[in-house]
Amino acid sequence: MSSWVRVLVGALAAATVAVTAACAPASLPVDVGPAPTSSASQQPLQVTGASGAPPTLEYEQPFTVLRPGARMVWPGTGDVLERDDPVLLNLYAQDGRDGTELQNTFRTAPAGYTMTEKSLGNHLFAALEGRRVGTRLALMEEQDGVPVLLVVDVLPARAAGREGVPPGKDLPQVRLDDLGAPTVRVPRGVKPPTDLVVHPLLRGTGPQVRAGQILTVEFTAVRWSDGKVVDTTWTEGTPPQSAEIGIGRLVDGWDQGLLEQTVGSQVMLVVPPDSGFANTASELAGETMVYVVDILDAHKAVAGDDEDTNQQDTKKKEG
């Protein structure tokens, strides 16, 4: 069995959300190896369903892969994927023999990669190269007798939207590099605010973040006291972070400040100790923290009952 299929099966068992100690968002590493990129299989495969939800696959079981391949379900309208750029994917895979689910990041959180062959595998890289954010692809390959059907949704990997009002002179200033990574400059000689500050830097056009959703973000965390970065996801090889929001798993500043913000937004949070790590054993317990957060995705986790329903909806076509 190829590394692609092995990783898909292994990832299902490993996909759990665990809150980190320092910043509170949680990491969800999900890997995927090579996928086919030649012309689509001759056997019909229909992929339906809306963006942001697990797709429904319609095909005759058992599925026979006559030619390994990939095809576009719908095109994207966002930025073109280019080499070395970060890329965020939702992945849904089935065993074509009986519709058994092999992977479903809609249940947990989308997976972050880099647009390189090393990160994605040669075949999946080739299938994604030149595509736009928002694209949905269907890929088919047989591995050791197992027909694997994979649907890939390309999500935005950075915030994008209308610019908000610039922060005032008594608040930190933020500059972005070409990939969207922020640099934060804390004003010198200014006392930190005693109340939570929520300042949208970019206003995205996606849905509002709701309590209980799994939030996926890129972020940078800076201490107000000395302006030093204490945590960031913008370093090479660090994926976006994901965790449930609004249910007490994150610091209060995140739960209060990011709820009802829109997906696609970039938000600066200035979090005083009482809304952060006060009364904890963290080394940041007495610190006012500045966070710059890119909201990449927010969705309700797919429960087990939803999974069973989705598999039952996988239709066996009459010959």
Side-chain angles (χ1 to χ4, degrees), residues 1-2 5 62-65 95-98 141-148:
M1 187 175 288
S2 76
V5 177
F63 188 87
T64 301
V65 179
D95 181 335
R97 295 173 297 182
D98 57 10
E141 185 176 41
E142 182 173 317
Q143 293 293 337
D144 294 341
V146 178
V148 179

Side-chain angles (χ1 to χ4, degrees), residues 25 36 71 93 109 192 222:
R71 66 180 176 83
V222 172

Side-chain angles (χ1 to χ4, degrees), residues 3-20:
S3 60
W4 176 37
V5 177
R6 283 201 306 270
V7 169
L8 284 174
V9 175
L12 194 59
T16 57
V17 175
V19 177
T20 61

Side-chain angles (χ1 to χ4, degrees), residues 38-61:
S38 62
S39 59
S41 169
Q42 294 174 342
Q43 182 169 340
L45 168 64
Q46 290 188 338
V47 180
T48 58
S51 178
T56 296
L57 308 186
E58 183 179 344
Y59 54 90
E60 183 180 355
Q61 296 177 3

